[in-house]
């Protein structure tokens, strides 16, 4: 089955691992704990690039430990590894700099083709506070009280033919994307809605899923807890 079909099937939880923040061995162990906690897939990436060997080693270590799809979440053209199953081929739709909308993609597309990983076309929309990706990606951050602006970008993503749309509050955000905004986006589009940034508890995840998110991403919690399996279980259990 294609990774995209797998992601379209139900409310999905993805665990984000940043190769810069742990060794490949640690990433493999974290992926196993997340799998035991009920996660549906592993995203690998971050805002900063890492050397290709480190990325390859991280993906390999994860694949050795779990039979889950590994999806690249590239911070730039360096975030491509042929060892992964798929890549979120994303455009930062509300960037002020065309490099992040189509420039990096024009450089990266041939590399994705050579790598032979499944590209999943995705519109990426950064919401306040936006965190590192908002700064690095020069996002014209969408105000938290402007759900209609996010809905407009999301519908544009669908009309461009993108298969997923991602609402990003920024890694480590104090608060996740507001429920009103998620609902407005869900109502506007027919493609699956991914929500990430600042989701830390089962209560957060339930609120985000209840508002209409089809795919929930958590990253920072995995870096901050000792019991990764327990934390992921708290989040995945709240989605059932
Ligand atoms: C970041 O949306 C992801 O790109 C995950 O955010 O690290 O806050 O879970 P957190």
């Amino acid at each position: 089955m294609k990774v995209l079909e797998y992601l379209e099937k139900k409310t999905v939880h993805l665990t984000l691992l940043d190769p810069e923040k742990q060794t490949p061995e640690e990433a493999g162990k974290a992926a196993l704990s997340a799998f035991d906690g009920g996660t549906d897939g592993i995203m690998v990436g971050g805002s900063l690039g890492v050397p290709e060997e480190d990325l390859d080693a991280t993906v390999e270590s994860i694949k050795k430990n779990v039979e889950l799809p590994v999806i690249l979440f590239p911070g730039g053209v360096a975030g491509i590894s042929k060892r992964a199953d798929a890549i979120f081929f994303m455009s930062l739709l509300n960037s002020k700099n065309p490099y992040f909308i189509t420039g990096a993609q024009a450089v990266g597309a041939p590399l994705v083709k050579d790598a032979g990983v499944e590209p999943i076309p995705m519109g990426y929309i950064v919401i306040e506070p936006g965190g590192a990706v908002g700064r690095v990606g020069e996002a014209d951050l969408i105000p938290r009280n402007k759900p209609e602006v996010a809905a407009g970008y999301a519908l544009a993503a669908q009309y461009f033919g993108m298969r997923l749309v991602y609402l990003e509050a920024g890694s480590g955000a104090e608060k996740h994307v507001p429920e009103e905004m998620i609902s407005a986006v869900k109502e506007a589009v027919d493609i699956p809605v991914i929500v990430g940034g600042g989701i830390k508890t089962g209560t957060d995840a339930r609120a985000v899923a209840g508002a209409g998110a089809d795919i929930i991403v958590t990253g920072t919690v995995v870096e901050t807890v000792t019991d990764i399996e327990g934390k992921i279980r708290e989040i995945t259990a709240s989605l059932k």
Side-chain angles (χ1 to χ4, degrees):
M1 192 191 343
K2 291 266 196 190
V3 175
L4 178 60
E5 285 165 36
Y6 175 83
L7 295 178
E8 285 169 337
K9 69 188 167 123
K10 59 179 169 84
T11 306
V12 165
H13 175 262
L14 298 178
T15 300
L16 172 64
L17 299 174
D18 185 344
E20 215 217 355
K21 298 201 175 141
Q22 63 225 300
T23 64
E25 198 190 2
E26 285 164 348
K29 282 192 190 141
L32 182 57
S33 301
F35 172 75
D36 289 339
T39 200
D40 300 296
I42 308 291
M43 284 163 60
V44 177
S47 311
L48 301 167
V50 287
E52 195 182 323
E53 325 68 271
D54 295 358
L55 181 63
D56 284 344
T58 297
V59 173
E60 247 167 56
S61 170
I62 294 167
K63 296 236 39 122
K64 204 169 67 185
N65 279 277
V66 293
E67 284 192 24
L68 286 174
V70 176
I71 307 163
L72 300 169
F73 181 57
V77 291
I80 300 167
S81 166
K82 57 180 177 302
R83 312 274 198 276
D85 300 296
I87 181 166
F88 285 142
F89 194 82
M90 51 211 262
S91 172
L92 205 176
L93 295 175
N94 60 319
S95 177
K96 289 177 274 195
N97 184 342
Y99 178 77
F100 297 105
I101 306 172
T102 53
Q105 294 76 0
V107 178
L111 304 175
V112 170
K113 190 171 187 184
D114 282 352
V117 294
E118 176 189 338
I120 300 177
M122 182 170 88
Y124 190 53
I125 304 169
V126 185
I127 317 296
E128 286 178 338
V133 74
R135 283 193 304 280
V136 174
E138 298 174 46
D140 184 13
L141 296 175
I142 298 188
R144 296 176 66 82
N145 63 353
K146 295 280 180 213
E148 69 282 6
V149 178
Y153 273 106
L155 190 56
Q158 177 177 322
Y159 288 169
F160 273 133
M162 293 165 173
R163 305 297 297 274
L164 302 173
V165 64
Y166 193 132
L167 302 178
E168 171 71 89
S171 188
E174 200 184 317
K175 289 190 198 150
H176 57 71
V177 175
E179 282 111 289
E180 301 71 34
M181 187 177 277
I182 299 167
S183 306
V185 167
K186 182 67 186 165
E187 202 161 302
V189 300
D190 304 312
I191 54 177
V193 178
I194 309 185
V195 178
I199 299 167
K200 299 185 266 274
T201 63
T203 309
D204 290 342
R206 190 176 300 115
V208 165
D214 300 288
I215 302 175
I216 304 228
V217 179
T218 56
T220 302
V221 278
V222 170
E223 292 158 19
T224 53
V225 296
T226 42
D227 178 14
I228 295 174
E229 180 185 337
K231 188 43 131 175
I232 297 292
R233 176 160 301 124
E234 174 194 323
I235 290 167
T236 56
S238 75
L239 301 177
K240 287 183 181 134

PDB file of all heavy atoms in Angstrom, residues 49-52 55 74-81 111:
ATOM      1  N   GLY A  49      19.222  21.455   8.756  1.00  0.00           N
ATOM      2  CA  GLY A  49      19.686  20.306   7.984  1.00  0.00           C
ATOM      3  C   GLY A  49      20.704  19.475   8.770  1.00  0.00           C
ATOM      4  O   GLY A  49      21.384  19.989   9.647  1.00  0.00           O
ATOM      5  N   VAL A  50      20.760  18.197   8.485  1.00  0.00           N
ATOM      6  CA  VAL A  50      21.806  17.341   9.070  1.00  0.00           C
ATOM      7  C   VAL A  50      22.539  16.666   7.917  1.00  0.00           C
ATOM      8  O   VAL A  50      21.969  16.517   6.840  1.00  0.00           O
ATOM      9  CB  VAL A  50      21.225  16.241  10.000  1.00  0.00           C
ATOM     10  CG1 VAL A  50      20.740  16.823  11.296  1.00  0.00           C
ATOM     11  CG2 VAL A  50      20.163  15.424   9.319  1.00  0.00           C
ATOM     12  N   PRO A  51      23.797  16.254   8.142  1.00  0.00           N
ATOM     13  CA  PRO A  51      24.510  15.574   7.061  1.00  0.00           C
ATOM     14  C   PRO A  51      23.742  14.327   6.591  1.00  0.00           C
ATOM     15  O   PRO A  51      23.084  13.663   7.392  1.00  0.00           O
ATOM     16  CB  PRO A  51      25.840  15.184   7.708  1.00  0.00           C
ATOM     17  CG  PRO A  51      25.990  16.085   8.886  1.00  0.00           C
ATOM     18  CD  PRO A  51      24.602  16.410   9.345  1.00  0.00           C
ATOM     19  N   GLU A  52      23.858  14.054   5.272  1.00  0.00           N
ATOM     20  CA  GLU A  52      23.104  12.952   4.672  1.00  0.00           C
ATOM     21  C   GLU A  52      23.365  11.621   5.393  1.00  0.00           C
ATOM     22  O   GLU A  52      22.443  10.821   5.597  1.00  0.00           O
ATOM     23  CB  GLU A  52      23.494  12.854   3.192  1.00  0.00           C
ATOM     24  CG  GLU A  52      22.557  12.008   2.368  1.00  0.00           C
ATOM     25  CD  GLU A  52      23.022  11.898   0.918  1.00  0.00           C
ATOM     26  OE1 GLU A  52      23.547  12.891   0.381  1.00  0.00           O
ATOM     27  OE2 GLU A  52      22.867  10.807   0.339  1.00  0.00           O
ATOM     28  N   LEU A  55      21.284  11.388   8.504  1.00  0.00           N
ATOM     29  CA  LEU A  55      19.869  11.174   8.187  1.00  0.00           C
ATOM     30  C   LEU A  55      19.650   9.723   7.766  1.00  0.00           C
ATOM     31  O   LEU A  55      18.722   9.056   8.259  1.00  0.00           O
ATOM     32  CB  LEU A  55      19.457  12.140   7.066  1.00  0.00           C
ATOM     33  CG  LEU A  55      18.008  12.080   6.613  1.00  0.00           C
ATOM     34  CD1 LEU A  55      17.062  12.473   7.744  1.00  0.00           C
ATOM     35  CD2 LEU A  55      17.784  13.018   5.422  1.00  0.00           C
ATOM     36  N   PRO A  74      11.202  17.248   5.436  1.00  0.00           N
ATOM     37  CA  PRO A  74      12.472  17.945   5.218  1.00  0.00           C
ATOM     38  C   PRO A  74      12.447  19.406   5.624  1.00  0.00           C
ATOM     39  O   PRO A  74      11.480  20.121   5.370  1.00  0.00           O
ATOM     40  CB  PRO A  74      12.678  17.816   3.703  1.00  0.00           C
ATOM     41  CG  PRO A  74      11.309  17.686   3.144  1.00  0.00           C
ATOM     42  CD  PRO A  74      10.470  17.008   4.189  1.00  0.00           C
ATOM     43  N   GLY A  75      13.519  19.842   6.258  1.00  0.00           N
ATOM     44  CA  GLY A  75      13.688  21.261   6.577  1.00  0.00           C
ATOM     45  C   GLY A  75      14.308  22.004   5.406  1.00  0.00           C
ATOM     46  O   GLY A  75      14.420  23.224   5.418  1.00  0.00           O
ATOM     47  N   GLY A  76      14.710  21.274   4.389  1.00  0.00           N
ATOM     48  CA  GLY A  76      15.360  21.874   3.221  1.00  0.00           C
ATOM     49  C   GLY A  76      15.763  20.764   2.271  1.00  0.00           C
ATOM     50  O   GLY A  76      15.393  19.601   2.476  1.00  0.00           O
ATOM     51  N   VAL A  77      16.555  21.116   1.263  1.00  0.00           N
ATOM     52  CA  VAL A  77      16.910  20.113   0.253  1.00  0.00           C
ATOM     53  C   VAL A  77      17.822  19.018   0.806  1.00  0.00           C
ATOM     54  O   VAL A  77      17.963  17.963   0.199  1.00  0.00           O
ATOM     55  CB  VAL A  77      17.554  20.742  -1.001  1.00  0.00           C
ATOM     56  CG1 VAL A  77      16.556  21.552  -1.777  1.00  0.00           C
ATOM     57  CG2 VAL A  77      18.762  21.572  -0.648  1.00  0.00           C
ATOM     58  N   ALA A  78      18.392  19.257   1.989  1.00  0.00           N
ATOM     59  CA  ALA A  78      19.271  18.235   2.571  1.00  0.00           C
ATOM     60  C   ALA A  78      18.472  17.120   3.262  1.00  0.00           C
ATOM     61  O   ALA A  78      19.043  16.104   3.637  1.00  0.00           O
ATOM     62  CB  ALA A  78      20.226  18.883   3.568  1.00  0.00           C
ATOM     63  N   GLY A  79      17.169  17.301   3.412  1.00  0.00           N
ATOM     64  CA  GLY A  79      16.397  16.330   4.208  1.00  0.00           C
ATOM     65  C   GLY A  79      15.874  15.142   3.432  1.00  0.00           C
ATOM     66  O   GLY A  79      14.777  14.657   3.695  1.00  0.00           O
ATOM     67  N   ILE A  80      16.663  14.642   2.472  1.00  0.00           N
ATOM     68  CA  ILE A  80      16.184  13.549   1.614  1.00  0.00           C
ATOM     69  C   ILE A  80      17.052  12.308   1.832  1.00  0.00           C
ATOM     70  O   ILE A  80      18.276  12.398   1.791  1.00  0.00           O
ATOM     71  CB  ILE A  80      16.228  13.986   0.123  1.00  0.00           C
ATOM     72  CG1 ILE A  80      15.335  15.225  -0.080  1.00  0.00           C
ATOM     73  CG2 ILE A  80      15.786  12.852  -0.795  1.00  0.00           C
ATOM     74  CD1 ILE A  80      15.529  15.923  -1.418  1.00  0.00           C
ATOM     75  N   SER A  81      16.395  11.177   2.073  1.00  0.00           N
ATOM     76  CA  SER A  81      17.129   9.914   2.246  1.00  0.00           C
ATOM     77  C   SER A  81      16.421   8.820   1.469  1.00  0.00           C
ATOM     78  O   SER A  81      15.194   8.679   1.578  1.00  0.00           O
ATOM     79  CB  SER A  81      17.158   9.515   3.734  1.00  0.00           C
ATOM     80  OG  SER A  81      17.581   8.171   3.856  1.00  0.00           O
ATOM     81  N   LEU A 111      16.206  15.249  -6.747  1.00  0.00           N
ATOM     82  CA  LEU A 111      16.829  14.407  -5.714  1.00  0.00           C
ATOM     83  C   LEU A 111      15.815  13.393  -5.185  1.00  0.00           C
ATOM     84  O   LEU A 111      16.142  12.239  -4.909  1.00  0.00           O
ATOM     85  CB  LEU A 111      17.348  15.282  -4.560  1.00  0.00           C
ATOM     86  CG  LEU A 111      18.332  16.401  -4.935  1.00  0.00           C
ATOM     87  CD1 LEU A 111      18.675  17.262  -3.718  1.00  0.00           C
ATOM     88  CD2 LEU A 111      19.603  15.802  -5.533  1.00  0.00           C
TER      89      LEU A 111
END
